[in-house]
Amino acid sequence: MAIVNTITVATAGTAVQSPSSGTVKAVLFKARSSNTGNAYVGDSNVSSSRGVELQPGESFHMVLQGYGKLQSWYADADNNDDAVDFVADNS
């Protein structure tokens, strides 16, 4: 079953945890095209200098060996209220 959700970064420079939990085997992250700057995806230490950088509209797909915890993913952004959408496969 797919898990679909959004991580919205209310305050730029602040790592925001995935609002969804559970174990997954694949995740696709996509920075919203309407973002006004880059977004970053990674662990709880994600920042503009640490993590996967996504320009507006850009996506990142990851297939895990085994399963990973969705709540271990975080996002940050260059600008307030930018967002990263994600689809995760937990089947």
Side-chain angles (χ1 to χ4, degrees), residues 3 21-26 64 67-71 88-91:
I3 299 170
S21 61
T23 55
V24 297
K25 62 181 181 180
L64 306 169
Y67 286 87
K69 293 184 178 181
L70 192 54
Q71 62 270 27
D89 178 12
N90 66 349
S91 57

Side-chain angles (χ1 to χ4, degrees), residues 5-89:
N5 214 328
T6 300
I7 304 172
T8 301
V9 180
T11 304
T14 304
V16 178
Q17 187 176 28
S18 165
S20 297
S21 61
T23 55
V24 297
K25 62 181 181 180
V27 186
L28 175 106
F29 294 96
K30 183 175 186 287
R32 291 228 170 133
S33 296
S34 60
N35 285 354
T36 55
N38 293 335
Y40 309 90
V41 175
D43 63 13
S44 60
N45 295 311
V46 68
S47 69
S48 61
S49 61
R50 188 169 189 273
V52 177
E53 181 178 313
L54 299 173
Q55 296 177 359
E58 191 173 20
S59 63
F60 166 70
H61 181 248
M62 183 169 181
V63 177
L64 306 169
Q65 257 186 318
Y67 286 87
K69 293 184 178 181
L70 192 54
Q71 62 270 27
S72 66
W73 289 94
Y74 289 72
D76 191 5
D78 287 336
N79 297 290
N80 294 347
D81 300 318
D82 280 355
V84 177
D85 298 318
F86 64 87
V87 178
D89 178 12

